[in-house]
Amino acid sequence: MSDSGPTPDQRLTLARLADVLVAEGLGMPAASAVGVADGLLDRCLDAAPALAEPLLALLDEAPADDLDVFVRGLAAGRPDDFAILTTTVVGAYYLSAEVRELIGYPGQQPSPLSAAAEPEYFEMLERVYDRHPGYRECP
Amino acid sequence: MMTQRRQSDAVIVGAGASGAVAAARLAAAGFEVVCLEQGDWTGPADYMSDRPEAELAWVERWSPDPNVRRGPADYPLTGDADVRPVMYNGVGGGLVQWAAMWQPLLASDFRVRTLDGVSDDWPIGWSDLAGPYSRVAREMSVSGLGGDPALPELDPYPNPPIPIGRIGMAAARGMDHLGWHWWPGANAIASRRHRSLQACQRRGTCMLGCPENAKATPSLTHWPAALAAGARLVTGARVAQIPLDERGRARGAVYVDRDGVERLEPAQVVILAANAVGTARLLLLSASPRFPDGLANSSGLVGRRLMQHPYRTVAAVCEDPLDSWQGPWGQSIYSLEFAETHPDRDFVRGAKWMVMPHGGPMFAVAEYQEAHSHEGFEALWGPSFHRAAAEVFGHAFTWGIQAEDLPEDHNRVVLDPAVCDSSGLPAAQIEYTVSDNTRRMLDFNVARAVEAAEAAGAVSTYTRDIWPTGIGHVLGTTRMGDDRQGSVVDRWCRAHDVANLYMIDGGVFVTGGSANPTATIMANARRVVDHMIGARASQEVPS
């Protein structure tokens, strides 16, 4: 990746490719609508810098038209390149606060332990204890 | 010219699970101890686990696979193995990234030859480790519930078990329905403040480093005490060779420092704790005219009998929300229902199961897409992409199934003839094939786990084939035994061939069992070092 990151053209290409992969549907927005090719891309590449070089090479290779065919060609015959593209798009998509709210994902947040929701636990354990033959005795 | 320091009482190679136990114990007993660690310290400042980008950490920086992570301390693992080991090289070793599952071996694991007619018996038995298991469990602030009838009785764990959560309750109901064994998981994760650890906050990023300092790792549990007692830990020190004196005693360890300078750290006793791959590699690197096939290798077994617990998973997707991104990512519950040999099955020995969370949305998408890959592009991408999150995310738990792979000579670590690490030392080449016995064992267990998932209310199940990268369990390459022709170290983990050379990592396992090995690695290290301290007066040392 260059020091300045992806170029505007590369971002535009990624946005179009990303919408082939993650289109609007099931009440969820398309990838480009949440900024997958903008700030979310920068955060994704900052977290996983090794994605940058092969990703930008792919974006430079992508044709101006027929991006759907290009993406399907990657999926069918270039699994490593397809993985670079999909990891970036999916990773960036789920960094979106809007997307997280829609799927009910608060992120890996801290929350204190609580055993309050486990009333049947010991009853079931009693049954384990009752039916188990005991560990295998050894000489 | 090689530089050298004055001789210490003991030099330890590796600052991970077993090395940390040894350093802390020896230093507390008044030994002058030096530990050489090729990696560095890893701490909260390095973690990505409290960032929204945590899931992306797996892609590269926190990948457990050193060939992907390519950290400065990592050495390449080459070879076309069915399962390639994973490891972390740094202070804490594999316990930087472990899931902290704490599982003693079965009593039968020490008598596999006697009971089942395969492999070999260990020269020690369960009772030899009972005391050390309890001592290291306290040092590691383990949270768990005693009384599992599948295991011999142990002292109570120092902390109450971590609540099993919605995923554990769902899975336990399934096991209860089937009448199968399950038990709340023990984990080296503090359920309350204990010693150096804080209480778990359920982030679920245990394997990316715990930002709450609730997961036990030697940089918290052992190294502070070891350093306070006078142990010296040298990071960035890649050990290249164990040199011998004219009588065949180890003189210490030769290492390459960060500047590429070769140094000798002389010691009366050398203790290898570099994991079953690293220790075997170092012994092979230390070949000499006296030991042309590798140091301490008169048996020919150094590097051989590598075991890795081949691993498969069954994801249970349920209708009810399970909040299954929440942690801890240790074991919620486990089962030993199918861990023992059974005469009606077409394999010997068995597998351990454990329930784990299912992760964030990236994991859900990956699991869904792998399971539905046969349905083609349209089913996975475009508007359909969102099905994975809608159906799987937050609604699934995982049964992890780790198989006991029997020790086989052809599964081994050798030196790569061409590829080297950044210090110019040959890489570790892994030769490992999954046996038919293991494949039958995993097929059987996966089928049972699908039944267990369905009994738990799963509306769909996703099974994964054997993971091509391992789960960080590397065992068996320097096995212990009383017979010097059939083992590398004796029952006190001292090399048969070199009187002041010890090995205390998972390499000394005779068989692997199906339990997560860290509890046994640490307990055995404690047992060995306690003996070493007691036998100090009779220890042979280099001239």
Side-chain angles (χ1 to χ4, degrees):
Chain A
M1 190 166 71
S2 69
D3 291 343
S4 56
T7 65
D9 283 350
Q10 287 170 327
R11 289 184 190 276
L12 194 59
T13 302
L14 178 63
R16 296 171 63 205
L17 291 172
D19 283 352
V20 174
L21 293 167
V22 181
E24 183 181 347
L26 296 177
M28 299 295 295
S32 66
V34 298
V36 155
D38 304 318
L40 299 180
L41 173 63
D42 299 329
R43 287 171 58 190
C44 179
L45 297 183
D46 180 62
L51 292 172
E53 188 178 329
L55 175 73
L56 298 189
L58 265 183
L59 299 180
D60 290 340
E61 179 194 336
D65 301 314
D66 295 329
L67 287 180
D68 187 80
V69 173
F70 179 70
V71 171
R72 287 167 186 267
L74 295 179
R78 295 165 59 181
D80 291 347
D81 289 333
F82 189 63
I84 294 288
L85 179 63
T86 56
T87 300
T88 306
V89 170
V90 174
Y93 186 72
Y94 285 122
L95 288 176
S96 159
E98 178 188 347
V99 169
R100 287 183 173 209
E101 187 172 346
L102 284 168
I103 64 171
Y105 178 50
Q108 304 302 134
Q109 295 297 313
S111 66
L113 293 170
S114 168
E118 296 174 359
E120 304 118 298
Y121 180 131
F122 286 102
E123 234 177 77
M124 287 196 288
L125 268 193
E126 281 295 315
R127 291 196 283 274
V128 173
Y129 204 88
D130 288 345
R131 66 180 175 249
H132 197 278
Y135 66 88
R136 204 172 169 193
E137 291 287 352
C138 299
Chain B
M1 193 179 90
M2 192 187 304
T3 62
Q4 76 173 71
R5 295 170 50 87
R6 71 183 177 84
Q7 187 184 59
S8 60
D9 294 326
V11 63
I12 301 166
V13 180
S18 57
V21 166
R25 187 76 185 118
L26 289 170
F31 282 62
E32 188 178 342
V33 183
V34 177
C35 181
L36 303 175
E37 168 53 55
Q38 63 189 327
D40 213 328
W41 291 86
T42 306
D46 306 298
Y47 300 159
M48 296 171 67
S49 43
D50 57 353
R51 291 172 50 184
E53 294 84 357
E55 272 199 293
L56 282 160
W58 293 99
V59 174
E60 179 188 345
R61 292 181 180 171
W62 280 82
S63 168
D65 185 345
N67 289 0
V68 173
R69 191 175 59 236
R70 293 173 180 265
D74 292 324
Y75 55 89
L77 300 176
T78 65
D80 187 22
D82 286 352
V83 178
R84 193 173 70 232
V86 300
M87 63 182 67
Y88 191 88
N89 297 304
V91 178
L95 304 202
V96 173
Q97 289 192 304
W98 73 322
M101 300 178 193
W102 192 263
Q103 192 75 37
L105 284 170
L106 303 171
S108 70
D109 286 327
F110 298 90
R111 296 290 178 267
V112 171
R113 165 62 70 177
T114 299
L115 293 172
D116 295 327
V118 294
S119 305
D120 291 299
D121 292 346
W122 290 48
I124 61 172
W126 205 96
S127 60
D128 294 298
L129 288 179
Y133 271 138
S134 296
R135 286 189 275 278
V136 291
R138 182 172 180 276
E139 293 168 2
M140 295 292 278
S141 299
V142 173
S143 302
L145 183 69
D148 181 353
L151 295 167
E153 192 167 347
L154 280 166
D155 289 342
Y157 290 116
N159 292 307
I162 289 168
I164 65 176
R166 290 184 181 178
I167 58 171
M169 286 299 292
R173 287 192 193 105
M175 302 300 270
D176 189 53
H177 178 76
L178 293 167
W180 290 351
H181 172 269
W182 71 275
W183 205 256
N187 297 281
I189 297 171
S191 56
R192 60 184 177 193
R193 284 182 65 180
H194 184 260
R195 291 166 65 95
S196 57
L197 300 189
Q198 302 298 311
C200 174
Q201 296 291 317
R202 304 196 64 196
R203 271 191 193 271
T205 54
C206 308
M207 288 176 277
L208 302 173
C210 177
E212 324 294 345
N213 284 341
K215 185 184 83 168
T217 185
S219 61
L220 296 172
T221 56
H222 287 79
W223 279 111
L227 297 175
R232 190 164 63 87
L233 173 56
V234 184
T235 57
R238 176 172 272 153
V239 177
Q241 190 186 35
I242 305 301
L244 302 179
D245 69 7
E246 66 282 358
R247 295 186 302 145
R249 308 288 189 260
R251 293 170 54 213
V254 173
Y255 69 96
V256 182
D257 72 11
R258 285 198 177 91
D259 298 322
V261 177
E262 203 168 84
R263 300 177 183 277
L264 171 65
E265 189 67 49
Q268 295 193 349
V269 167
V270 175
I271 302 170
L272 304 185
N275 84 40
V277 174
T279 288
R281 177 189 183 221
L282 178 55
L283 293 169
L284 297 173
L285 286 169
S286 301
S288 64
R290 188 189 291 263
F291 293 105
D293 298 322
L295 181 58
N297 195 20
S298 66
S299 66
L301 286 172
V302 167
R304 294 188 182 274
R305 305 190 183 185
L306 173 67
M307 297 171 281
Q308 300 196 72
H309 291 159
Y311 183 73
R312 293 186 64 181
T313 55
V314 174
V317 183
C318 301
E319 269 187 34
D320 292 339
L322 300 175
D323 298 341
S324 50
W325 64 86
Q326 286 193 322
W329 203 313
Q331 51 182 349
S332 165
I333 70 170
Y334 65 90
S335 174
L336 300 172
E337 179 70 25
F338 303 106
E340 294 280 9
T341 296
H342 192 286
D344 293 343
R345 296 175 198 147
D346 61 354
F347 56 87
V348 290
R349 304 306 295 163
K352 180 212 161 189
W353 302 8
M354 53 264 173
V355 163
M356 295 168 291
H358 197 258
M362 285 187 75
F363 277 98
V365 168
E367 184 106 50
Y368 180 92
Q369 295 211 339
E370 184 172 316
H372 292 267
S373 60
H374 61 283
E375 296 173 22
F377 191 93
E378 299 291 345
L380 306 179
W381 300 104
S384 302
F385 169 80
H386 306 288
R387 283 188 186 151
E391 295 176 17
V392 178
F393 171 66
H395 288 259
F397 66 83
T398 301
W399 272 117
I401 299 163
Q402 55 195 24
E404 174 176 352
D405 49 340
L406 300 175
E408 299 175 279
D409 281 1
H410 60 85
N411 287 335
R412 62 178 185 156
V413 178
V414 297
L415 298 180
D416 190 290
V419 180
C420 292
D421 65 19
S422 59
S423 302
L425 303 172
Q429 181 173 300
I430 309 300
E431 298 175 0
Y432 183 91
T433 55
V434 178
S435 72
D436 290 342
N437 187 73
T438 300
R439 289 186 189 279
R440 288 193 295 268
M441 180 192 298
L442 282 169
D443 286 347
F444 171 87
N445 277 273
V446 165
R448 301 291 80 71
V450 168
E451 293 171 14
E454 289 169 351
V459 292
S460 55
T461 55
Y462 299 148
T463 63
R464 284 193 166 183
D465 206 347
I466 295 171
W467 286 23
T469 50
I471 53 173
H473 302 177
V474 286
L475 308 166
T477 57
T478 58
R479 59 155 292 182
M480 71 167 97
D482 292 330
D483 169 16
R484 61 184 303 135
Q485 270 80 49
S487 56
V488 178
V489 298
D490 66 16
R491 64 175 57 213
W492 299 111
C493 295
R494 181 168 64 177
H496 289 299
D497 295 342
V498 183
N500 66 334
L501 176 63
Y502 291 80
M503 300 163 210
I504 59 169
D505 53 42
V508 302
F509 279 39
V510 177
T511 54
S514 59
N516 311 67
T518 298
T520 304
I521 290 171
M522 298 184 87
N524 184 59
R526 178 65 187 257
R527 177 188 72 89
V528 168
V529 171
D530 283 351
H531 174 78
M532 196 184 295
I533 292 167
R536 182 179 193 178
S538 60
Q539 174 64 56
E540 293 183 40
V541 298
S543 50

